[in-house]
Amino acid sequence: MNRSELREQVFKLLFRVEFNSMEEMAEQEELFVTASEELGKTKDADYVRDKYEKVAEKLPEIDAMINEQTVGWDTGRIAKVELAILRLAIYEIKFDETVPTGVAINEAVELAKKFGQDGSASFVNGVLAKFA
């Protein structure tokens, strides 16, 4: 898989955080990887797990950053798809030195176009511009 496809898989796993407790996420992570025909038992599965775990570890800090930067919007009010996209992108911008900021923003906007509603891409782009 290429980096965009891997990022999409991480997003899909991160999206599950909104519907499961952090205690249940270890099981969800295992179910996600074993159910995915694309990942299977490959190094891609290891990459997705590793990146998800790194993002999940920083969620309280990332959510605080989102709440600080979004006036009138907090993590409880942002749609779940957009929130998962923002969390992943902000992790890449602030904590992952292997991903250039422009790439993180562009990939997040593309995920928002694919999975979000009308206006999602603009919203994600606007929020992430505050982190660039």
Side-chain angles (χ1 to χ4, degrees):
M1 297 178 109
N2 66 36
R3 294 288 289 253
S4 294
E5 293 167 333
L6 289 170
R7 185 177 283 105
E8 183 176 317
Q9 296 300 316
V10 175
F11 155 73
K12 288 178 180 178
L13 182 54
L14 191 58
F15 181 72
R16 292 180 180 212
V17 168
E18 289 301 306
F19 304 98
N20 298 281
S21 69
M22 289 311 281
E23 293 78 28
E24 296 171 321
M25 280 309 295
E27 182 180 353
Q28 287 297 315
E29 186 178 341
E30 187 61 35
L31 288 170
F32 179 81
V33 172
T34 56
S36 175
E37 295 174 12
E38 299 162 339
L39 291 176
K41 296 283 183 190
T42 65
K43 65 180 178 179
D44 290 342
D46 294 336
Y47 176 88
V48 169
R49 278 186 166 140
D50 183 56
K51 186 136 187 184
Y52 158 74
E53 289 170 3
K54 288 178 179 175
V55 175
E57 183 179 298
K58 298 279 189 187
L59 279 183
E61 192 174 344
I62 292 169
D63 286 354
M65 289 180 195
I66 292 170
N67 290 333
E68 185 177 301
Q69 291 295 324
T70 53
V71 177
W73 292 87
D74 63 19
T75 54
R77 187 168 175 226
I78 297 172
K80 293 175 181 4
V81 168
E82 288 80 4
L83 182 57
I85 293 168
L86 288 171
R87 285 171 167 168
L88 177 56
I90 292 167
Y91 171 81
E92 290 181 336
I93 292 168
K94 294 294 185 182
F95 304 105
D96 189 344
E97 295 177 6
T98 65
V99 180
T101 298
V103 171
I105 293 172
N106 184 56
E107 291 286 333
V109 169
E110 291 303 315
L111 284 171
K113 287 177 184 176
K114 184 172 183 176
F115 295 101
Q117 300 174 351
D118 291 340
S120 293
S122 297
F123 176 76
V124 166
N125 190 48
V127 171
L128 293 178
K130 295 179 179 188
F131 290 92

